[in-house]
């Protein structure tokens, strides 16, 4: 019973320790996940601010492009008007030149003939006046033409500048549009990562809550078990005191064996027998026995085998080591076997260096040594079995 309680308590402590360790790891994971989430949210905010600035820049560029298009339209209209004026002047100049040429051609003889009459003199003077007036008109038309031509060059230059500026702005607008798409994709990817992290974080938080609930449950079980052990210790102490009183009254005939007969539920073993852990003599049997000192009826879940000093202890079946540790009466090993059996070896003096928790042992493998006594117990799940039903002794 002692070893069953000890093992049960050790298992509870082990579970509590493992749960606390896992809970600490889970809290660290949650902290890391929160940090990563904060980092992702900051990146998303940064990208959204950048995207907002891009949108503002695109709006400004659209406004500037619209203004340039209006200016270009106005300048093109003005250029068309100047072009029309220029064409009219060209036509006027051509007409004037034609008239002068025609007049000179028709009166060419005057310039080459001798002035012999008054008519010839008049015609010569008329020619001079016509030539002079034509020259004035030609100068005026030329001045207007040059003025219009200068304006056309200025407007053309302005239009070219507007077109160049518009091209630059449109190119910049295209670059911003492409950058906008990239930023939108980045935000979409970050949002997906954020969602994934949130789902993962929710799982970890749920696991943390489960671990906390499990830890609370284990602590309650441990508290109850400790309380149970305290109550059993009080009963045993009371029985021992009562036994002492009885032994003082009649040391020869003691009929009262106490009132602490704690029999456990047991189970029969149905399998084939196996090798014993050690060879020797059984000094304490399985089941009910009387305390030789205090004459108290007790129940024993194990057997005690007296053996030679420094005897090797062997595993009765192949299995997995689930517990290795120290007790008040020596070292102890617990092995879990495939047939749901547990074999417990106590009061060990030395443990093999290979025997660690999780180590797979083979049947007959040396696991430890004892000075002169081995306490041996077998259980099926949590129920004790008489070890002599399991081993050939």
């Amino acid at each position: 019973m002692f070893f069953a309680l000890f093992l049960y308590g050790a298992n509870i402590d082990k579970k509590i320790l493992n749960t606390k360790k896992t809970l600490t790891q889970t809290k660290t994971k949650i902290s890391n996940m929160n940090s990563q989430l904060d980092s992702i949210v900051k990146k998303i905010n940064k990208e959204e601010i950048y995207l907002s600035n891009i949108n503002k820049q695109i709006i400004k560029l659209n406004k500037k492009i619209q203004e340039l298009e209006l200016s270009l339209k106005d300048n093109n209209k003005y250029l068309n008007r100047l072009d029309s004026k220029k064409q009219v002047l060209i036509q006027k100049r051509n007409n004037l030149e034609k008239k002068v040429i025609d007049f000179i051609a028709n009166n060419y003889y005057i310039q080459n003939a001798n002035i012999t009459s008054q008519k010839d003199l008049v015609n010569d003077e008329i020619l001079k006046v016509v030539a002079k007036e034509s020259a004035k008109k030609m100068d005026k038309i030329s001045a207007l033409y040059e003025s219009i031509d200068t304006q056309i060059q200025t407007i053309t230059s302005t239009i070219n500048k507007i077109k160049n500026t518009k091209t630059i702005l449109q190119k910049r607008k295209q670059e911003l549009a492409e950058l906008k798409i990239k930023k939108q994709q980045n935000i979409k990817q970050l949002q997906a990562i954020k969602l994934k992290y949130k789902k993962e974080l929710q799982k970890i938080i749920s696991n943390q809550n489960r671990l906390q609930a499990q830890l609370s449950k284990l602590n309650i079980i441990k508290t109850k078990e400790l309380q149970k052990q305290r109550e059993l210790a009080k009963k045993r102490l009371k029985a021992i005191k009562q036994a002492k009183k009885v032994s003082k009254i009649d040391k020869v005939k003691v009929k009262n064996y106490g009132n602490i007969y704690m029999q456990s539920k047991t189970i029969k073993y149905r399998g084939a027998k196996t090798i014993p852990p050690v060879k020797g003599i059984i000094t304490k049997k399985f089941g009910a026995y009387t305390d030789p000192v205090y004459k108290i009826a007790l129940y024993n879940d194990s057997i005690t085998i007296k053996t030679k000093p420094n005897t090797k202890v062997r595993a009765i079946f192949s299995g997995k080591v689930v517990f290795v540790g120290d007790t008040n009466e020596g070292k102890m090993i617990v092995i879990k076997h495939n047939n749901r059996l547990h074999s417990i070896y106590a009061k060990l003096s030395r443990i093999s260096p290979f025997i660690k928790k999780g180590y797979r042992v083979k049947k007959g493998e040396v696991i430890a040594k004892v000075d002169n006594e081995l306490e041996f117990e077998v259980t099926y799940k949590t129920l004790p079995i008489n070890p002599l039903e399991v081993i050939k002794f």
Side-chain angles (χ1 to χ4, degrees):
M1 186 190 68
F2 165 75
F3 286 110
L5 288 173
F6 180 83
L7 180 59
Y8 184 75
N11 285 336
I12 292 292
D13 286 338
K14 177 184 168 186
K15 286 179 181 178
I16 288 172
L17 185 64
N18 288 339
T19 305
K20 282 182 177 179
K21 186 178 178 182
T22 308
L23 191 58
T24 302
Q25 291 172 349
T26 303
K27 286 179 179 178
T28 303
K29 281 184 183 178
I30 290 172
S31 179
N32 291 336
M33 291 286 282
N34 279 325
S35 298
Q36 288 170 341
L37 265 175
D38 287 342
S39 177
I40 292 167
V41 169
K42 285 177 183 178
K43 285 181 182 177
I44 290 171
N45 291 338
K46 188 177 179 181
E47 291 292 296
E48 285 178 343
I49 290 168
Y50 203 148
L51 185 62
S52 177
N53 289 333
I54 289 172
N55 286 329
K56 287 177 182 177
Q57 290 182 54
I58 289 173
I59 291 168
K60 286 181 181 178
L61 285 173
N62 281 332
K63 189 176 179 181
K64 286 183 179 179
I65 290 169
Q66 287 175 357
E67 289 172 356
L68 287 171
E69 285 174 348
L70 288 172
S71 178
L72 192 62
K73 189 176 179 181
D74 292 340
N75 278 286
N76 277 323
K77 285 181 181 179
Y78 188 42
L79 183 64
N80 290 333
R81 287 199 299 270
L82 290 173
D83 247 346
S84 298
K85 286 183 180 180
K86 182 179 176 181
Q87 294 303 322
V88 170
L89 288 172
I90 290 169
Q91 189 62 39
K92 282 183 179 180
R93 185 177 66 181
N94 290 340
N95 291 338
L96 184 61
E97 284 177 349
K98 188 174 181 300
K99 284 180 182 179
V100 171
I101 289 167
D102 288 344
F103 180 80
I104 292 171
N106 292 329
N107 297 280
Y108 179 73
Y109 72 93
I110 298 174
Q111 296 179 26
N112 296 301
N114 294 322
I115 298 173
T116 56
S117 64
Q118 188 177 0
K119 185 180 177 181
D120 291 337
L121 181 62
V122 171
N123 286 337
D124 185 58
E125 289 298 322
I126 289 170
L127 182 59
K128 289 178 180 177
V129 170
V130 169
K132 190 175 181 181
E133 288 298 321
S134 296
K136 286 180 180 179
K137 285 182 180 179
M138 287 292 289
D139 288 342
K140 187 176 180 181
I141 289 169
S142 295
L144 283 171
Y145 180 85
E146 287 175 4
S147 173
I148 290 170
D149 199 46
T150 302
Q151 290 180 60
I152 286 171
Q153 288 177 7
T154 304
I155 295 299
T156 302
S157 176
T158 303
I159 287 170
N160 289 334
K161 285 180 181 178
I162 291 169
K163 284 181 178 179
N164 289 335
T165 305
K166 183 182 174 184
T167 302
I168 291 167
L169 292 178
Q170 284 176 330
K171 186 179 178 182
R172 177 60 181 158
K173 180 183 174 182
Q174 182 63 30
E175 289 173 352
L176 287 172
E178 290 172 0
L179 186 60
K180 179 181 177 180
I181 291 169
K182 286 182 181 178
K183 292 299 176 185
Q184 286 172 335
Q185 289 173 346
N186 287 346
I187 291 171
K188 190 176 179 181
Q189 289 174 355
L190 288 169
Q191 292 285 8
I193 294 169
K194 179 185 172 184
L195 182 62
K196 182 182 176 182
Y197 268 89
K198 274 191 171 181
K199 287 181 179 177
E200 190 65 28
L201 182 61
Q202 192 57 47
K203 286 181 183 178
I204 295 171
I205 289 170
S206 297
N207 188 43
Q208 177 187 244
N209 294 337
R210 182 184 63 78
L211 287 169
Q212 285 174 338
Q214 183 180 342
L215 185 62
S216 298
K217 187 178 178 182
L218 287 170
N219 283 325
I220 290 167
I221 292 170
K222 184 179 178 182
T223 302
K224 287 182 178 178
E225 185 57 34
L226 289 171
Q227 184 63 30
K228 182 180 176 182
Q229 289 182 26
R230 287 193 195 101
E231 288 173 1
L232 289 173
K234 286 179 182 178
K235 286 180 181 179
R236 181 178 176 83
L237 185 61
K238 184 179 178 181
I240 289 169
K241 287 179 179 178
Q242 188 175 351
K244 283 182 178 179
K245 288 179 182 178
V246 171
S247 63
K248 285 179 182 178
I249 295 169
D250 189 352
K251 291 184 179 180
V252 180
K253 296 179 180 181
V254 179
K255 294 182 180 180
N256 185 358
Y257 285 18
N259 57 1
I260 190 164
Y261 186 82
M262 296 173 289
Q263 182 171 357
S264 300
K265 288 183 180 180
T266 61
I267 188 169
K268 287 284 184 181
Y269 177 71
R270 304 294 182 186
K273 289 193 175 184
T274 185
I275 61 171
V278 293
K279 292 181 180 180
I281 301 168
I282 296 173
T283 57
K284 191 181 289 184
K285 295 181 179 180
F286 177 86
Y289 75 100
T290 303
D291 191 307
V293 179
Y294 301 111
K295 308 299 181 184
I296 302 170
L298 299 171
Y299 194 87
N300 193 30
D301 287 334
S302 62
I303 62 172
T304 301
I305 305 171
K306 188 173 178 62
T307 185
K308 293 179 182 179
N310 207 30
T311 298
K312 294 177 180 178
V313 180
R314 300 179 185 274
I316 62 167
F317 288 116
S318 297
K320 180 182 177 181
V321 177
V322 294
F323 178 81
V324 180
D326 294 322
T327 69
N328 292 332
E329 297 181 350
K331 302 179 185 298
M332 185 170 75
I333 297 173
V334 180
I335 301 174
K336 180 182 179 182
H337 308 289
N338 291 335
N339 47 8
R340 296 189 179 182
L341 293 179
H342 285 79
S343 56
I344 303 163
Y345 312 80
K347 292 189 178 179
L348 304 172
S349 58
R350 291 174 61 192
I351 293 176
S352 170
F354 298 104
I355 303 302
K356 307 288 182 185
K357 183 181 173 183
Y359 177 80
R360 295 273 179 184
V361 298
K362 293 182 180 179
K363 178 181 175 180
E365 184 176 347
V366 176
I367 59 172
K369 286 186 177 182
V370 289
D371 286 335
N372 53 18
E373 196 175 57
L374 172 70
E375 191 147 1
F376 177 64
E377 183 177 348
V378 180
T379 63
Y380 176 77
K381 296 183 180 178
T382 58
L383 298 175
I385 300 172
N386 187 344
L388 295 180
E389 293 176 358
V390 182
I391 62 174
K392 294 177 183 178
F393 198 82

